[in-house]
Amino acid sequence: MTAIGLLTVEKQGRHRYYRLATSGVAHMLESIMQVASELAPARKRLVVGPRDAALRKARTCYDHLAGQLGVALADALVAAGTFRAGR
């Protein structure tokens, strides 16, 4: 997936961290998930992350913000020009 540009890899010592290469790749994956959910409407809804609504709203993951509030904060910083998305 890195060879065709869907993922990027960052090497830190002996570790490699993979991430989606662009926001377009994220949108593509979300679109695929939407189509898949429409093809099988009788299936149980997939819940990603914590089941508790409060944890989905605001949580941390190791040493960074996560959850809906973390994403909203990152989006606001990018929109304000304070933070630049991607690498």
Side-chain angles (χ1 to χ4, degrees):
M1 294 177 79
T2 55
I4 60 172
L6 295 177
L7 295 178
T8 60
V9 62
E10 180 179 335
K11 297 176 185 175
Q12 289 184 0
R14 64 181 178 160
H15 301 284
R16 287 188 172 88
Y17 297 96
Y18 293 86
R19 67 173 43 103
L20 299 178
T22 67
S23 61
V25 175
H27 292 293
M28 176 190 67
L29 291 174
E30 289 170 353
S31 296
I32 291 170
M33 290 170 38
Q34 178 65 38
V35 170
S37 71
E38 290 171 359
L39 293 176
R43 289 187 168 185
K44 185 177 177 183
R45 185 172 179 264
L46 175 65
V47 177
V48 178
R51 293 191 186 277
D52 182 3
L55 283 175
R56 283 194 311 274
K57 184 94 174 155
R59 64 187 180 101
T60 60
C61 181
Y62 295 101
D63 63 349
H64 66 272
L65 292 174
Q68 295 165 341
L69 290 178
V71 172
L73 176 62
D75 288 345
L77 290 171
V78 170
T82 306
F83 181 78
R84 187 173 48 149
R87 292 219 166 233

